[in-house]
Amino acid sequence: MPATVLTARALLLDMDGTLVNSDAVVERIWRRWAERHGLDGDEVMRVVHGRQGHASMAVLLPDRPMRQNLADNARMLAEETADLDGVIEVPGAAAFLASLRGVPHALVTSADVALSTARMAAAGLPLPEVRVTAESVGASKPDPEGFLKGAAELGIAPADCVVFEDSGAGVAAGKAAGMRVVGVGPRAGAHDPDVVVPDLTHVRVEAADGVIRLHVGAHAA
């Protein structure tokens, strides 16, 4: 199948599941949390990807006060930051990021500064210069605030941005921001991104005169 070509002026990149495969640690920690609260682990895992922890807890425990969710989330973030076993790059992520040198792009993640720094380092990936983390926003994905903030910091109109995301919450956030979305990995395809790839080895970037051409679906050269 021929590659889809998308043009953009900036790229906004999710981290977990998009650049970094952290599924092993996310499963370990959230399934333990589910057990502590008497919840079904599979149901919990369907909710947590892409959202900030306290936002996931609000969905899963709707009657619990938010202050408890925030305190629980702080503990969970500390656990996640300390547990880097099995954290690796998504195939093609290092080469993809290397191809973005000089290209406007930002990391837009539901992780906080400490967790995003630790996971990117564990996966051997460089941190983009512009980063929108949990501390930067008032609302978690699927709210579009993070992506809109990333576009604003880069000085690029939302319609000229392409988002890379793996989760339903992330795809919804990108669409709500008025951006096109490239879905990465097996979770993404169920949420109607504009185009989906198995991993980042299927994306090639060309940039000239402020225009980015994304060849999506063809193996990068």
Side-chain angles (χ1 to χ4, degrees):
M1 192 168 70
T4 298
V5 179
L6 300 176
T7 59
R9 302 188 77 84
L11 307 182
L12 301 176
L13 316 174
D14 174 51
M15 182 182 73
D16 290 302
T18 302
L19 299 173
V20 173
N21 182 344
S22 57
D23 282 0
V25 61
V26 172
E27 287 267 347
R28 280 195 296 275
I29 286 175
W30 277 98
R31 285 187 183 276
R32 283 202 301 266
W33 182 88
E35 192 173 343
R36 286 199 298 271
H37 293 280
L39 298 173
D40 179 74
D42 291 341
E43 177 59 31
V44 167
M45 295 314 303
R46 281 192 284 272
V47 170
V48 301
H49 291 291
R51 290 179 169 88
Q52 291 185 38
H54 63 80
S56 296
M57 292 170 192
V59 172
L60 293 160
L61 297 174
D63 297 326
R64 192 165 78 155
M66 183 53 76
R67 59 181 173 73
Q68 284 183 244
N69 292 341
L70 291 170
D72 210 359
N73 184 51
R75 287 190 293 271
M76 295 276 281
L77 283 170
E79 278 187 67
E80 290 187 88
T81 303
D83 185 353
L84 299 172
D85 187 28
V87 174
I88 56 174
E89 71 163 310
V90 166
F96 174 67
L97 287 170
S99 74
L100 299 185
R101 291 192 188 105
V103 172
H105 67 286
L107 187 72
V108 181
T109 175
S110 294
D112 65 4
V113 169
L115 182 58
S116 57
T117 302
R119 283 193 177 157
M120 290 289 281
L125 300 174
L127 277 166
E129 186 176 329
V130 177
R131 301 184 288 277
V132 179
T133 61
E135 296 93 339
S136 311
V137 297
S140 170
K141 301 171 186 177
D143 191 281
E145 181 186 355
F147 287 125
L148 292 172
K149 192 158 198 168
E153 290 198 24
L154 293 170
I156 304 294
D160 290 327
C161 295
V162 169
V163 164
F164 283 74
E165 264 288 358
D166 75 300
S167 71
V171 172
K175 288 184 169 184
M179 301 173 182
R180 289 152 295 155
V181 181
V182 175
V184 180
R187 279 189 295 270
H191 302 288
D192 296 322
D194 293 275
V195 61
V196 64
V197 291
D199 58 45
L200 293 170
T201 66
H202 294 262
V203 179
R204 183 164 56 86
V205 178
E206 293 177 349
D209 301 321
V211 176
I212 306 162
R213 288 174 60 81
L214 294 168
H215 299 260
V216 184
H219 274 283

